[in-house]
Amino acid sequence: MPFQPRPPLLPRRRPHPVQDAQRTLLELLGVVADRRGGLPIATCVSSRDELDAVCAAVANLSFVSMSPLYSDQAEAERASVLEMFRQETIQWNQTTKATNIAESSRLESTGSKLSIVVATDACLPQAAMAEAPLMARVLINYELPTKKEAYLRRMSTCLAADGIVINMVVGGEVATLKALEENSGLLIAEMPIHVSEIL
């Protein structure tokens, strides 16, 4: 049998971390919308490029009402976004208190859109400017901050006292997450396979 060259070996295509993160975010939002429609969610990113990427990925979801906060936004528009999100948070809290959790899940998921604010660290509400915290029920750290001060600021400016933080970790960020956990004194639990268990 004559020699037959092997076909050239092609490098295995590895999924791109950004595409994985976007796909994970979209899947997560879909699960949350099914379980808890109307839920107020703050999503934090580190840069304007990531803010634009997240907004582009989420913009066409029919079950999401999204508002970005970015550095060159007009002050009136920024104030409007913050106030609208706070009002949606108040409404969601009143709705869940008025009904029990089982009924609330079923009723909310039948038409209420998730209310999402996407913000860079530079655009989070500022106490020095008399801006109240967002009080979101869920904080998604789409990009993990590398410093504990940024991590804690996200929590204090975005999250309700009994809210849930979801950290999206890609590639080599596990070490960063562990360092944040150790340096901040927080216990960061691994997310369950079925996210609905924590909602």
Side-chain angles (χ1 to χ4, degrees):
M1 180 170 190
F3 175 75
Q4 302 233 350
R6 287 179 37 193
L9 295 176
L10 298 175
R12 285 179 46 186
R13 286 185 52 116
R14 292 185 170 194
H16 192 275
V18 171
Q19 292 169 342
D20 281 348
Q22 286 179 357
R23 184 174 47 250
T24 301
L25 177 64
L26 297 179
E27 288 173 6
L28 174 64
L29 294 177
V31 169
V32 172
D34 285 344
R35 174 90 170 122
R36 292 286 201 182
L39 186 70
I41 299 173
T43 303
C44 290
V45 297
S46 299
S47 68
R48 176 65 189 259
D49 289 342
E50 285 301 320
L51 180 133
D52 291 342
V54 168
C55 290
V58 173
N60 294 325
L61 298 178
S62 62
F63 54 87
V64 169
S65 170
M66 178 197 57
S67 300
L69 288 174
Y70 47 90
S71 58
D72 54 350
Q73 194 168 32
E75 191 60 37
E77 184 181 358
R78 174 184 168 79
S80 174
V81 167
L82 291 171
E83 183 58 29
M84 188 180 334
F85 186 81
R86 286 189 197 100
Q87 291 303 317
E88 290 169 351
T89 300
I90 290 168
Q91 181 180 357
W92 192 87
N93 286 332
Q94 290 172 345
T95 300
T96 56
K97 286 179 183 177
T99 58
N100 72 35
I101 296 298
E103 289 177 11
S104 174
S105 303
R106 193 180 67 249
L107 292 174
E108 290 166 6
S109 65
T110 60
S112 298
K113 291 184 173 190
L114 295 176
S115 177
I116 300 177
V117 165
V118 183
T120 61
D121 291 320
C123 297
L124 294 175
Q126 298 176 13
M129 295 176 59
E131 293 179 333
L134 292 173
M135 305 303 284
R137 300 296 304 151
V138 175
L139 166 61
I140 298 174
N141 284 315
Y142 183 78
E143 283 183 295
L144 198 59
T146 56
K147 297 185 178 181
K148 79 171 183 177
E149 294 81 12
Y151 189 83
L152 295 174
R153 181 166 181 260
R154 286 180 179 186
M155 289 176 58
S156 67
T157 59
C158 295
L159 196 61
D162 58 347
I164 298 166
V165 178
I166 297 175
N167 298 304
M168 298 190 64
V169 180
V170 296
E173 290 182 332
V174 173
T176 302
L177 184 64
K178 290 295 180 193
L180 284 170
E181 183 176 34
E182 291 171 9
N183 294 332
S184 65
L186 297 170
L187 175 62
I188 300 174
E190 192 170 323
M191 193 160 89
I193 292 174
H194 300 289
V195 72
S196 60
E197 293 174 13
I198 62 172
L199 296 176

